[in-house]
Amino acid sequence: MSKITFTPISYTGWNSLSYLLEEVTRLQAKKILVVTDPTLIEIGLTTKAIQPLVEANYDVELYSEVSAEPSLALAEKLVAFTRQHEFDMIIGIGGGSALDLSKIAGVLAFHEGLVEDYLNLTGTKKINNKGIPTILIPTTSGTGSEVTNIAVLALEKTKDVVTHDYLLADVAIIDPSLTISLPPKITAATGIDALTHAIEAYISKNASPVSDALAIQAIRLISQSIRIAVADGSNQEARTKMSYGSYLAGLAFFNAGVAGVHALAYPIGGQFHVAHGESNAVLLPYVMGYIRQSCEKRMKDIYEMMGFNTAYLSQEEASYCCVNELQKIVKDVNIPSTLQGFNIPKQALASLTKAALDQKRILARSPMTLMEEDIYTIYQSAYNGIITENKKSFL
């Protein structure tokens, strides 16, 4: 038995942004805060998105103090700003940072205390008020934030989340045309992030037939289009597949959860400010290689969904092939394949391991239990660029 949750309303497909005015009208908004990436304002994408609202005489205010890997301080500032004004809707336009901050502001601006009081690992306060309606519009194909109840914040040594079903958007608009201007580097990082969501959801201890169906299709779409999207960002078919794949991966991991890759990626982002997608990408082959024995059958499925014939391969053979293909994808989209490639020193592996151990909620979903020694070994493998396999019993 499992609980399955979805965002109330989602619009998907090319030019689905055209539904924004209709939804704002339906939700009876008057004064709207638009949280967006500053770069999107510069290139005119934000203006394009909200122009119909301005022409319809809605009171729209832009807020662009958004950065990659948003800090707790940024969230506190936005929540304080939202409290000072009488907004009745928040629209988030951008990557995962803008969307996560929008979700936090839409809910916590209507609660007492600080954002840190509601963090998953250390917070002491409970969320009990839905806040105001939110509409989330991703401009990347990666985080899946538009369909989850999680908002991620960077702390000093790791990351933590605010999570509650009240953080679910009232409306998600997934328009692939908004991703055309995305540079290759960000396309690659966010794309691998989405692929990681799908893979970890599929191998998660909390996987269900519903999350499996979402994850399988996401793996198929992303793995067979990410190279094209990175090489030719104007390719409409590739952008559309990546957009749908990211959306499905978000639904999959929201319902089944992520696991070891994310648990180990959070400290890299927290301590070295490596983009979340790149943190996932550099770790993905090493984590999957290490836990391979615990999910051979599922890794064979993944390899098949990536477009390969597995009819004449054993589960073991296919699982090895799967790890090799993950390494190849990361290389082909030009993301560094080792921690050294991100200038992470070897002496940092110990602090990364300690921080990763705190991600108990995420680690609990791994098909193989990962203890301190295991986590350190994976980081060491990612540092040296050599896949290491756990030879111990995984039962």
Side-chain angles (χ1 to χ4, degrees):
M1 182 180 297
S2 59
K3 174 188 175 185
I4 302 296
T5 306
F6 296 99
T7 294
I9 296 176
S10 294
Y11 293 95
T12 62
W14 208 264
N15 294 326
S16 57
L17 181 63
S18 61
Y19 288 100
L20 177 59
L21 178 58
E22 176 184 324
E23 285 301 320
V24 169
T25 303
R26 181 183 66 84
L27 292 168
Q28 300 181 322
K30 295 179 180 179
K31 187 174 183 181
I32 304 167
L33 177 63
V34 175
V35 179
T36 188
D37 299 333
T39 302
L40 300 182
I41 296 177
E42 292 175 11
I43 66 175
L45 195 152
T46 302
T47 300
K48 170 189 173 183
I50 66 172
Q51 190 62 34
L53 305 182
V54 175
E55 292 175 353
N57 295 317
Y58 283 98
D59 183 356
V60 179
E61 182 163 350
L62 293 183
Y63 187 97
S64 61
E65 291 191 52
V66 174
S67 66
E69 313 303 312
S71 66
L72 179 61
L74 268 182
E76 300 283 12
K77 188 171 184 180
L78 175 57
V79 168
F81 178 84
T82 306
R83 285 171 175 163
Q84 291 168 5
H85 300 79
E86 295 182 356
F87 297 112
D88 53 20
M89 174 180 283
I90 292 183
I91 298 176
I93 304 175
S97 299
L99 305 190
D100 282 1
L101 289 171
S102 297
K103 292 192 288 189
I104 288 173
V107 174
L108 294 190
F110 299 86
H111 287 74
E112 295 181 349
L114 300 172
V115 174
E116 67 177 330
D117 296 329
Y118 298 89
L119 291 174
N120 178 67
L121 295 179
T122 58
T124 57
K125 292 183 180 295
K126 301 295 183 182
I127 292 175
N128 52 32
N129 185 344
K130 187 181 184 304
I132 55 177
T134 57
I135 297 178
L136 301 182
I137 306 169
T139 59
T140 68
S141 297
T143 68
S145 179
E146 68 277 5
V147 292
T148 73
N149 67 357
I150 303 166
V152 184
L153 296 172
L155 307 182
E156 184 179 349
K157 292 186 177 181
T158 186
K159 293 185 179 183
D160 202 353
V161 302
V162 178
T163 179
H164 192 282
D165 279 354
Y166 285 160
L167 268 71
L168 276 172
D170 294 89
V171 179
I173 299 176
I174 299 91
D175 187 339
S177 71
L178 302 179
T179 68
I180 287 291
S181 61
L182 203 63
K185 181 180 173 66
I186 301 177
T187 299
T190 55
I192 296 290
D193 188 19
L195 181 61
T196 305
H197 291 156
I199 289 173
E200 291 214 286
Y202 191 61
I203 66 169
S204 168
K205 283 185 175 180
N206 294 345
S208 70
V210 175
S211 65
D212 284 352
L214 296 165
I216 285 171
Q217 181 66 353
I219 292 167
R220 180 184 290 116
L221 289 168
I222 297 167
S223 64
Q224 297 181 31
S225 59
I226 187 170
R227 292 176 175 94
I228 299 171
V230 170
D232 178 13
S234 65
N235 188 299
Q236 183 171 332
E237 181 181 4
R239 288 295 193 185
T240 300
K241 287 182 177 179
M242 288 296 298
S243 189
Y244 276 112
S246 173
Y247 171 68
L248 293 172
L251 291 174
F253 94 81
F254 174 40
N255 285 286
V258 289
V261 178
H262 275 73
L264 273 66
Y266 279 173
I268 292 176
Q271 295 182 30
F272 294 95
H273 308 293
V274 176
H276 177 63
E278 292 182 327
S279 299
N280 277 334
V282 70
L283 291 171
L284 180 60
Y286 300 100
V287 173
M288 296 304 294
Y290 191 82
I291 69 171
R292 184 195 60 77
Q293 292 181 73
S294 67
C295 49
E296 282 185 351
K297 171 61 171 66
R298 296 234 149 190
M299 288 182 70
K300 182 178 181 180
D301 295 341
I302 292 168
Y303 188 58
E304 184 175 340
M305 291 308 104
M306 291 193 292
F308 297 94
N309 183 3
T310 64
Y312 302 102
L313 296 175
S314 67
Q315 290 182 15
E316 181 180 30
E317 291 168 336
S319 65
Y320 278 119
C321 290
C322 180
V323 173
N324 292 337
E325 177 62 14
L326 293 176
Q327 280 189 302
K328 193 172 187 302
I329 290 175
V330 172
K331 178 181 178 181
D332 289 348
V333 297
N334 301 311
I335 294 177
S337 59
T338 68
L339 296 182
Q340 294 184 66
F342 292 99
N343 298 314
I344 296 174
K346 189 172 185 179
Q347 57 266 33
L349 302 188
S351 65
L352 291 173
T353 300
K354 293 292 185 183
L357 279 171
D358 289 336
Q359 300 294 335
K360 294 179 176 61
R361 176 181 63 92
I362 302 176
L363 288 171
R365 306 186 192 113
S366 173
M368 177 184 288
T369 301
L370 296 175
M371 307 301 287
E372 182 172 358
E373 178 185 353
D374 302 305
I375 293 171
Y376 185 86
T377 299
I378 294 170
Y379 278 133
Q380 191 173 48
S381 298
Y383 179 84
N384 293 324
I386 301 172
I387 300 290
T388 302
E389 186 173 343
N390 184 2
K391 299 297 185 181
K392 300 177 183 178
S393 170
F394 57 85
L395 297 178

